[in-house]
Amino acid sequence: MKTVKLSDVVKRANTKEDRFNTSLLYYVGGEHIETDNVVIKERGLIKGSTIGPMFYFGFKKGDVLLVSRNPHLRKSGMVSFDGICSEKTFVLKTNDERILLQDYLPFIFQSDHFWEYAESHKSGSVNFFLNWSTLANYEFNLPDLDEQKKLAEVLWQIVDTMESYKKLLAKTDEMVKAKYVEQIENDGSKIKREKLNTLCNFISGGTPDTKHPEYYGGDIPWISTVALGPNYIDKTSAKDFLTELGVNKSATHLIKKGTLLFGNRVGVGKTSITNCDMCTNQDILALTDVDAKINILYLKIVLDMQRNYFESQKRGATIKGIPIDVLGNIFIPIPPLQLQNQFADFVQKAEESKSLIQASLDSLSAVYKKIIAENLGGSN
């Protein structure tokens, strides 16, 4: 194994494309590249898009794209289609497949070693970026071709399996949505609807003053919207733990187990049900005193179905959120409780399946990261 500079074995492709006069169909922006994902699947259509004049670099299937802006986002991967990208995205190819395999190349940019180098060598004071000259000087360990081939084959097999697990998770969510449409929306004319504010009360949270250490370090879980999303959350999701004094001396409230939480700022539309008593910060509303004719888990799913609407209704100059009256005025379909319970049971079984899939995905991801760290960790 030898140590090489990136520029010794990798070149930056500078193929120019006129976005107004090209046979290419797709463009890739930073929003299409997932953090720490070696596969780039998402794309946008060039025709009818509003992409700017900086989108003039062409790329080919099998090229590696690396976003130079905000290296802390760790965005790089291989594309499986032709297209164009911004000049802020590097298009990378191997200089010589007899020295560096193209299939091995994308994994070089998946290691903590590389991104630590990128962070420590970034330029800019507000909008951070990585210069090509800086990237070209990155040094790393390069194994021989046989070892590259073995590692690439193993890593791509793991990636393919992880992508399959992700698709299963997405299909499970789609199955829940389809069940909702089938049982609830398709019979919409027969189902009574009531405004949410007639079915429950809203309690907002707060943040105890951090200048008072005696408010913290207790045993009362206190969460932010980061915790929201799963059907149920408990103290393991806590951002911090409060004392009774901290609760009493602030705007937060102790929310009882079994309460539905709604993110009305910073994570708008995210929901979860409490699996223990806890407190929340000011970005969360607790839906309390829910009418007995409503199944809580059913209500959570109904609100989850409205995420796009909530996004469109955000207000505010700095921190955008959903006003309580907007939330309170949405109409909730109320089928018979028996049907709600059946739907909630279906959702719970789907969630259990997702948990098993996620556990397998997490386990495989750990193996993937270990292989990357042990074999692509850079030069000593």
Side-chain angles (χ1 to χ4, degrees):
M1 185 177 290
K2 59 183 178 180
T3 300
V4 298
K5 282 187 177 181
L6 193 72
S7 58
D8 294 337
V9 292
V10 174
K11 60 186 176 184
R12 181 185 180 189
N14 291 311
T15 305
K16 300 293 180 65
E17 287 283 343
D18 179 358
R19 71 189 194 283
F20 295 117
N21 185 27
T22 180
S23 60
L24 296 171
L25 299 176
Y26 306 111
Y27 75 92
V28 169
E31 70 275 14
H32 296 124
I33 304 177
E34 294 180 42
T35 294
D36 288 332
N37 192 341
V38 75
V39 178
I40 300 175
K41 308 182 295 293
E42 301 299 321
R43 68 199 87 172
L45 285 171
I46 298 172
K47 186 176 181 180
S49 72
T50 57
I51 55 176
M54 294 296 101
F55 278 79
Y56 55 75
F57 276 132
F59 60 79
K60 297 290 186 182
K61 176 181 179 181
D63 286 347
V64 175
L65 305 185
L66 189 150
V67 179
S68 65
R69 292 291 185 187
N70 298 314
H72 67 279
L73 296 179
R74 301 166 62 113
K75 292 192 171 189
S76 179
M78 179 179 278
V79 286
S80 58
F81 51 90
D82 298 349
I84 63 173
C85 62
S86 162
E87 50 90 26
K88 299 296 189 299
T89 297
F90 299 137
V91 182
L92 306 176
K93 302 174 182 283
T94 178
N95 278 333
D96 189 340
E97 286 239 59
R98 294 170 297 181
I99 299 174
L100 169 63
L101 295 175
Q102 186 70 16
D103 273 353
Y104 184 82
L105 174 59
F107 297 109
I108 293 171
F109 310 115
Q110 298 297 310
S111 72
D112 289 341
H113 183 272
F114 170 74
W115 290 114
E116 286 165 3
Y117 171 87
E119 269 291 287
S120 62
H121 291 80
K122 65 188 178 184
S123 301
S125 57
V126 179
N127 296 314
F128 298 110
F129 60 92
L130 190 65
N131 284 315
W132 168 247
S133 58
T134 303
L135 179 64
N137 284 324
Y138 173 63
E139 294 185 346
F140 62 99
N141 292 326
L142 184 65
D144 60 37
L145 280 178
D146 286 341
E147 186 65 16
Q148 288 180 46
K149 184 177 180 181
K150 290 177 184 176
L151 284 169
E153 286 178 350
V154 170
L155 288 169
W156 280 116
Q157 286 173 2
I158 293 175
V159 167
D160 288 344
T161 304
M162 290 195 297
E163 290 299 310
S164 296
Y165 284 145
K166 291 176 185 177
K167 288 178 182 177
L168 281 174
L169 290 171
K171 285 182 178 179
T172 305
D173 288 336
E174 290 170 5
M175 184 174 63
V176 170
K177 291 178 181 177
K179 192 74 171 178
Y180 177 81
V181 171
E182 174 192 344
Q183 291 191 335
I184 311 301
E185 288 194 355
N186 284 351
D187 290 331
S189 60
K190 303 176 184 177
I191 295 177
K192 179 182 177 183
R193 294 171 183 265
E194 294 184 25
K195 287 185 176 182
L196 183 60
N197 57 19
T198 68
L199 301 171
C200 65
N201 295 316
F202 303 113
I203 296 179
S204 61
T207 300
D209 192 340
T210 54
K211 294 178 181 178
H212 292 271
E214 67 272 20
Y215 294 170
Y216 293 86
D219 56 6
I220 302 172
W222 177 70
I223 68 161
S224 68
T225 52
V226 173
L228 302 184
N231 286 341
Y232 295 92
I233 56 172
D234 56 26
K235 63 182 181 180
T236 59
S237 300
K239 180 179 181 180
D240 214 325
F241 287 84
L242 307 180
T243 61
E244 288 188 13
L245 182 64
V247 176
N248 294 333
K249 294 290 185 178
S250 70
T252 194
H253 297 84
L254 185 64
I255 305 302
K256 296 298 183 181
K257 175 181 178 180
T259 300
L260 178 58
L261 305 179
F262 178 89
N264 65 315
R265 299 196 322 164
V266 190
V268 169
K270 293 174 66 177
T271 64
S272 283
I273 300 169
T274 60
N275 236 348
C276 65
D277 295 354
M278 62 177 62
C279 293
T280 70
N281 72 0
Q282 61 274 14
D283 298 331
I284 296 175
L285 290 174
L287 281 58
T288 65
D289 305 313
V290 175
D291 195 298
K293 63 187 174 187
I294 300 293
N295 180 294
I296 297 295
L297 181 54
Y298 165 79
L299 180 58
K300 179 195 186 301
I301 302 304
V302 172
L303 294 179
D304 288 346
M305 298 293 178
Q306 305 295 321
R307 284 292 295 274
N308 290 338
Y309 172 74
F310 294 137
E311 278 293 317
S312 71
Q313 295 299 307
K314 291 193 296 187
R315 304 287 185 269
T318 305
I319 300 178
K320 296 184 181 296
I322 293 288
I324 291 182
D325 62 328
V326 172
L327 176 62
N329 283 322
I330 68 167
F331 283 90
I332 305 297
I334 309 176
L337 187 57
Q338 182 181 4
L339 181 57
Q340 294 180 47
N341 292 340
Q342 289 174 356
F343 180 72
D345 289 343
F346 176 82
V347 169
Q348 193 58 38
K349 287 183 174 64
E351 194 64 25
E352 290 169 2
S353 296
K354 283 179 63 178
S355 294
L356 293 174
I357 298 169
Q358 188 64 54
S360 298
L361 177 58
D362 291 344
S363 177
L364 201 54
S365 178
V367 173
Y368 172 79
K369 291 177 181 177
K370 183 178 180 181
I371 294 174
I372 294 285
E374 291 179 350
N375 295 279
L376 293 98
S379 60
N380 296 321

